[in-house]
Amino acid sequence: RELHPTYEPVEVYRAAFVGSGFVAVTNQIAGSGKDAIKDAVAALCGGISCPSYTDRAWRPSDGPKLGNTSYVYLTSEEMLAEIEAGTIIEYEPLRDYSYATSGREVKSIVEQGKRPFKDLEPNGLITLRRIMGDCGVIRAIYPLPDLTVLADGRTQWEHLLTNRDYEGDRLGDILKGSRGEESANDLAKRLTAAAGQRALIGELGLVEDDNTFFVVNTYGRLAETARVAANFVNHGKITTNPYGSPTGTAIRANLNEVEEIACSALAEAS
């Protein structure tokens, strides 16, 4: 299900969002470290992580189920009730479940005198920018995965993705059922989404967008990456920064390799 094109959140939540200084961390590449960057940059910028409402099940990689700062777990019926009540700012149906940006959560963060930092899909970013309109700017950080090749021939990204939810098995083995059918199906959907990122950001015009900052999330260098991204959040793009956003060519090359890895694994398993 999707929000009706004319859907608008209740004004009190829309107004809180518009005046919030909202910052997005965006992509559809599982294992790229969105949550880690979001929390690190928020800490440097006087922000608070804004949890996503979701009707999917909790995963061990989410962290603690109670007191989780990334997700609020709802049933599908509870999610629908929030939508009907007009508390949802943005809603993104993905695969067999959905994520949403809650006006309640944004309003609560604003009332604490903080900025909300939230991870969301690129299409959700475009939706929020449409709602923001001319009332403000939404700066977005796009973490590119670390594609350093390790001793076993796999990239750092593949290790982070499979270590997190699949006990470190190789992509092809997981897709063939080494961790069960549910894990195979889940990984196939994640890899399909990752493989589509190069085309999607091209369609959305994010590479050339002055308010979207691409940064390679190099393993073991989170503090440095967060400082660079926080500089962008606070000051915008600074072209003289030697550690700034990679070139458009480098961005496309990174995502092209992600696509190749994902498509190769999917093809091998089929």
Side-chain angles (χ1 to χ4, degrees), residues 91-110:
Y91 172 88
E92 185 76 11
L94 294 170
R95 303 184 281 274
D96 302 321
Y97 44 84
S98 56
Y99 295 105
T101 300
S102 165
R104 299 183 197 274
E105 299 293 337
V106 171
K107 184 171 181 289
S108 173
I109 291 170
V110 170

Side-chain angles (χ1 to χ4, degrees), residues 29 142-145 147 155 157-158 191-202 207 214 216 247-265:
I29 306 175
Y142 191 112
L144 295 165
L147 299 178
T155 63
W157 169 55
E158 291 169 82
L191 290 176
T192 299
Q197 285 297 279
R198 182 174 60 86
L200 179 61
I201 66 167
V207 174
F214 290 79
V216 177
T247 65
T249 299
I251 292 167
R252 293 182 181 93
N254 179 287
L255 294 178
N256 187 63
E257 187 171 348
V258 168
E259 182 177 350
E260 290 177 352
I261 292 169
C263 289
S264 177

Side-chain angles (χ1 to χ4, degrees), residues 17-270:
F17 164 70
V18 166
S20 67
F22 192 97
V23 178
V25 180
T26 187
N27 73 29
Q28 277 181 283
I29 306 175
S32 60
K34 290 191 295 294
D35 280 339
I37 287 182
K38 176 191 66 176
D39 292 343
V41 178
L44 293 172
C45 296
I48 294 180
S49 175
C50 181
S52 293
Y53 280 16
T54 183
D55 53 8
R56 72 159 170 79
W58 171 81
R59 297 177 183 141
S61 60
D62 291 347
K65 190 170 185 179
L66 297 177
N68 192 294
T69 60
S70 295
Y71 302 103
V72 173
Y73 302 96
L74 306 177
T75 65
S76 295
E77 291 74 21
E78 289 170 334
M79 182 75 86
L80 181 60
E82 291 289 333
I83 292 170
E84 291 178 342
T87 70
I88 297 301
I89 306 294
E90 169 269 337
Y91 172 88
E92 185 76 11
L94 294 170
R95 303 184 281 274
D96 302 321
Y97 44 84
S98 56
Y99 295 105
T101 300
S102 165
R104 299 183 197 274
E105 299 293 337
V106 171
K107 184 171 181 289
S108 173
I109 291 170
V110 170
E111 288 173 346
Q112 297 174 60
K114 301 290 187 178
R115 301 175 72 172
F117 281 67
K118 186 176 185 298
D119 70 271
L120 72 166
E121 313 303 324
N123 282 319
L125 169 65
I126 299 305
T127 298
L128 289 180
R129 283 178 170 172
R130 176 186 59 78
I131 293 171
M132 181 71 75
D134 296 329
C135 297
V137 171
I138 296 178
R139 288 188 170 141
I141 302 163
Y142 191 112
L144 295 165
D146 184 350
L147 299 178
T148 302
V149 178
L150 303 184
D152 66 354
R154 293 188 291 167
T155 63
Q156 184 70 66
W157 169 55
E158 291 169 82
H159 276 268
L160 292 173
L161 172 57
T162 58
N163 290 348
R164 192 179 70 168
D165 289 319
Y166 309 106
E167 305 297 327
D169 287 8
R170 289 180 174 270
L171 295 177
D173 293 336
I174 300 164
L175 293 169
K176 291 174 183 176
S178 67
R179 292 291 157 187
E181 183 178 356
E182 183 176 349
S183 290
N185 292 336
D186 182 63
L187 179 60
K189 292 170 183 175
R190 287 174 162 190
L191 290 176
T192 299
Q197 285 297 279
R198 182 174 60 86
L200 179 61
I201 66 167
E203 293 170 7
L204 299 179
L206 295 183
V207 174
E208 295 78 19
D209 175 46
D210 286 340
N211 290 309
T212 301
F213 185 78
F214 290 79
V215 62
V216 177
N217 190 15
T218 305
Y219 184 72
R221 294 173 60 181
L222 177 61
E224 178 182 332
T225 301
R227 285 195 298 271
V228 172
N231 193 45
F232 159 73
V233 169
N234 290 327
H235 305 293
K237 285 187 177 177
I238 301 175
T239 57
T240 57
N241 183 347
Y243 303 108
S245 189
T247 65
T249 299
I251 292 167
R252 293 182 181 93
N254 179 287
L255 294 178
N256 187 63
E257 187 171 348
V258 168
E259 182 177 350
E260 290 177 352
I261 292 169
C263 289
S264 177
L266 290 166
E268 177 189 343
S270 63

